[in-house]
Amino acid sequence: SESLRDERDTVLECLRSRAQVHLRVNRARVSVEDARTLLASEGVTAVPHPTVPTALGVEDGAQKVGSSKTYADGLVELQDAHSQALTLEVPLSDGARVLDYCAGGGGKSLALADRANVNSAENTQRCGPFRSGWRGAGLRDLFRARVREHTTG
């Protein structure tokens, strides 16, 4: 609280509300506009993000996303717009192999796969919740790599 000084009340007020839910559209399978239409038919209102072309911001019906057919079919994934923006900056070529060192479950690897016809990916963390998403993104292989600390003596 001391470090916030004059901004304390503003910051605390921001923490009282939920952050906007963002979705990543699997553009290999559906256009952003078609994803919006499908979501709307299921009671979810989403708008394109102003700077991230793969992202939709959910304005209404966020609680319905997880049970929607659009989500279950892998046409959209829950992913923060900033994470999506980051994946757009990674240089890729078709057929690339990705080693994902991020602490998450593989969402950024899915976004990279969507972008550049990546056909195999390695994720160093837990991948269980995303296994169906990997197949939906067209990945042939999913490797769960273990990163070991090596010491020299």
Side-chain angles (χ1 to χ4, degrees):
S1 65
E2 182 64 29
S3 64
L4 296 175
R5 296 199 174 116
D6 297 334
E7 297 178 55
R8 186 192 76 159
D9 291 340
T10 303
V11 170
L12 290 175
E13 186 60 35
C14 287
L15 293 173
R16 293 183 56 176
S17 61
R18 290 184 177 266
Q20 184 176 23
V21 172
H22 290 101
L23 303 172
R24 182 186 62 80
V25 177
N26 182 348
R27 294 189 305 174
R29 300 188 55 209
V30 68
S31 71
V32 171
E33 198 52 44
D34 286 347
R36 285 183 68 203
T37 300
L38 291 167
L39 289 164
S41 73
E42 298 181 89
V44 179
T45 304
V47 297
H49 190 275
T51 60
V52 183
T54 57
L56 290 174
V58 177
E59 293 195 338
D60 189 42
Q63 70 282 4
K64 297 177 183 177
V65 170
S67 60
S68 73
K69 185 170 177 4
T70 307
Y71 176 78
D73 288 348
L75 302 179
V76 296
E77 300 279 342
L78 289 164
Q79 188 175 48
D80 181 72
H82 293 95
S83 293
Q84 293 181 56
L86 175 102
T87 65
L88 296 173
E89 298 300 319
V90 176
L92 289 175
S93 59
D94 283 354
R97 189 169 187 178
V98 174
L99 178 57
D100 180 359
Y101 276 101
C102 187
K108 290 179 197 72
S109 287
L110 285 172
L112 293 170
D114 183 28
R115 219 184 94 214
N117 297 321
V118 174
N119 56 34
S120 65
E122 296 185 23
N123 180 281
T124 62
Q125 302 297 324
R126 61 198 184 283
C127 299
F130 287 94
R131 285 189 196 280
S132 62
W134 288 91
R135 296 290 180 213
L139 292 173
R140 284 196 316 247
D141 302 304
L142 169 61
F143 303 97
R144 292 185 72 192
R146 292 187 186 263
V147 178
R148 297 182 185 166
E149 184 176 336
H150 295 280
T151 57
T152 58

